[in-house]
Amino acid sequence: MNGGPKPDCVHVDLGSRAYDVRIGRGLIGRAGAEIAPLLRRPQVTVVTDETVGALHLEALRAGLGDIAMTALALPAGEATKGWPQFTRSVEWLLAEKVERKDIVIAFGGGVIGDLVGFAAAVLRRGVRFVQIPTTLLAQVDSSVGGKTGINSTQGKNLIGAFHQPALVLADIDVMDTLPARDFLAGYGEVVKYGLLGDAAFFDWLELNGPTLAGGDKALRQQAVSHSVAMKARIVERDETEEGDRALLNLGHTFCHALESATGYSDRLLHGEGVAIGCALAFELSARMGFVSQETPSRLRAHLRAMGMKTDLSDISGDLPDADALLALMAQDKKVQDGRLRFILARDIGRAFVADGVDPGLVRALLSEALAHRRG
Ligand code: NAD
Ligand code: GLY
């Protein structure tokens, strides 16, 4: 395992688009020193959400020192990740007279990181941006790798661009204020790394997950650094998802359908959907004979031990039937030639891309899971 009490640095080696991800405690307090080498003039624009802004914007302002900062705070939550707040952000950045050589800072969770990264991608045909992720999900996943974008009424993340950040500052301390539910949702993405490519990491999480969730900073830093390093190596191999990067979508075909079915509301947070989606993907893998039935049971046992949502029965309110969920999956970005694409597994730590999975099998799996909800 990487990581420890001193800040870690994961370099994402993408040639002219290479950058560092710094992970450690107190990084917001020294944001000025971290960001200054990137600046042509001592000023930055920051886009955050109202929750993060109220809690941490003044600390960022102080940390920036002599660098002047103006800020825009958007409403918190997934509903922000659409055209209206995107337009508002781009217009605000233009009104702030952001120039091609300036830096825009995305200060928040994955919603802010995705939206601001996309705004930076299109503003003046592309300005640089720095990610300061404030949720566990954003630190381990969304701030790294350059996927940016917003949702459409047609589906999740359907509008966007690849645009790599110039620097990522993942401050472990900023997560002190993160509600437990959001922390655990982010943990869904952490578990995903173990499941897709690192069985030893999954073992480590089974051992350390509860202490880490309880607030242990050294373990949190280790988990974030290890996850980021795994993601960095995948992104270096396949920046624009022509191959391997698809493995990072483990659980996401189910997740995106469930998020759409629950209206991107707080009935189901993205990371919660990922955890449920991973459990369903492993169940599907078992039904297709790739793993033994013990493997999805082991995964579900760990998610349950962490107090996480694990099954469709953990989602409150009504859900559409299996056919409607399948129809939502057909809108997924991963659909190719109209055929469903899933990430399945041959074991914990051995995920693979499976094209053309029989929709009948998926329908049966979902029908049973929905019946279990009602029963
Ligand atoms: P989020 O940005 O909505 O943050 C969750 C909640 O936590 C919000 O209410 C926010 O205000 C609050 N919050 C954030 N930091 C806080 C802090 N330090 N203290 C207190 N409250 C805080 O959601 P998220 O889970 O961070 O991100 C989810 C989004 O990320 C989804 O839109 C998903 O599609 C996207 N995502 C993108 C990628 C990618 O590669 N680009 C990967 C995974 C997920
Ligand atoms: N979160 C999936 C990816 O970055 O590819």
Side-chain angles (χ1 to χ4, degrees):
M1 289 286 306
N2 298 320
K6 285 202 316 240
D8 297 314
C9 180
V10 176
H11 184 67
V12 188
D13 191 359
L14 290 170
S16 60
R17 293 175 309 290
Y19 54 96
D20 285 341
V21 183
R22 307 223 171 97
I23 303 134
R25 301 188 58 183
L27 286 171
I28 289 173
R30 53 173 192 278
E34 300 282 352
I35 293 169
L38 300 172
L39 298 178
R40 300 290 170 103
R41 51 179 181 162
Q43 65 184 63
V44 289
T45 42
V46 177
V47 182
T48 187
D49 74 31
E50 286 162 0
T51 305
V52 175
L55 290 166
H56 299 291
L57 197 59
E58 286 317 306
L60 177 59
R61 192 189 300 278
L64 285 168
D66 293 338
I67 300 169
M69 172 191 114
T70 53
L72 171 69
L74 306 177
E78 186 71 30
T80 284
K81 220 177 96 172
W83 285 120
Q85 295 299 334
F86 174 77
T87 307
R88 180 181 168 199
S89 302
V90 172
E91 293 295 341
W92 178 77
L93 290 166
L94 289 172
E96 290 297 306
K97 304 200 167 24
V98 172
E99 297 177 2
R100 282 294 297 278
K101 303 284 186 191
D102 286 337
I103 291 279
V104 175
I105 297 180
F107 186 41
V111 164
I112 290 298
D114 283 9
L115 180 146
V116 177
F118 184 36
V122 298
L123 195 75
R124 300 191 190 281
R125 299 203 177 90
V127 300
R128 293 169 306 153
F129 78 115
V130 168
Q131 291 265 21
I132 306 185
T134 62
T135 63
L136 179 60
L137 181 142
Q139 295 197 355
V140 298
D141 193 354
S142 61
S143 64
V144 179
K147 277 191 183 175
T148 72
I150 56 174
N151 303 325
S152 148
T153 49
Q154 304 282 324
K156 173 97 178 155
N157 294 335
L158 292 180
I159 304 147
F162 285 98
H163 187 51
Q164 300 291 344
L167 174 70
V168 183
L169 297 177
D171 186 334
I172 298 299
D173 291 328
V174 79
M175 292 190 289
D176 286 351
T177 56
L178 193 61
R181 184 180 174 195
D182 288 295
F183 187 88
L184 285 181
Y187 187 82
E189 301 277 12
V190 177
V191 172
K192 183 189 78 176
Y193 289 107
L195 296 174
L196 73 89
D198 191 341
F201 186 46
F202 186 80
D203 295 344
W204 186 88
L205 290 171
E206 283 183 316
L207 202 62
N208 295 295
T211 318
L212 179 163
D216 187 296
K217 299 277 176 84
L219 291 178
R220 285 183 175 195
Q221 186 173 326
Q222 274 183 274
V224 173
S225 295
H226 194 81
S227 302
V228 168
M230 279 189 72
K231 179 154 186 181
R233 300 298 83 83
I234 293 173
V235 169
E236 284 166 357
R237 286 201 299 277
D238 179 20
E239 185 180 1
T240 55
E241 201 172 307
E242 308 300 321
D244 261 19
R245 186 166 179 167
L247 298 178
L248 292 170
N249 295 323
L250 177 62
H252 283 61
T253 305
F254 290 109
C255 170
H256 288 169
L258 293 170
E259 280 186 286
S260 176
T262 50
Y264 304 110
S265 69
D266 68 0
R267 282 176 62 200
L268 184 74
L269 304 180
H270 175 75
E272 294 173 337
V274 170
I276 294 173
C278 285
L280 287 168
F282 269 73
E283 185 63 39
L284 186 58
S285 304
R287 290 180 182 209
M288 294 175 72
F290 294 118
V291 297
S292 70
Q293 192 52 54
E294 284 75 51
T295 311
S297 301
R298 180 180 167 196
L299 167 56
R300 277 203 292 268
H302 178 53
L303 298 177
R304 286 251 174 265
M306 294 296 293
M308 294 170 70
K309 288 188 171 59
T310 310
D311 298 305
L312 296 192
S313 50
D314 296 322
I315 303 172
S316 64
D318 291 337
L319 281 180
D321 64 15
D323 280 321
L325 287 173
L326 264 173
L328 290 171
M329 287 177 190
Q331 177 60 274
D332 198 271
K333 286 194 301 311
K334 291 175 289 299
V335 168
Q336 286 196 349
D337 303 327
R339 299 193 319 159
L340 285 178
R341 164 175 271 208
F342 286 89
I343 312 303
L344 299 180
R346 294 198 167 82
D347 201 348
I348 285 177
R350 290 180 59 211
F352 66 98
V353 179
D355 281 317
V357 173
D358 176 4
L361 275 178
V362 183
R363 185 181 293 107
L365 174 67
L366 291 171
S367 296
E368 282 171 41
L370 289 164
H372 183 66
R373 244 170 86 80
R374 289 188 285 269

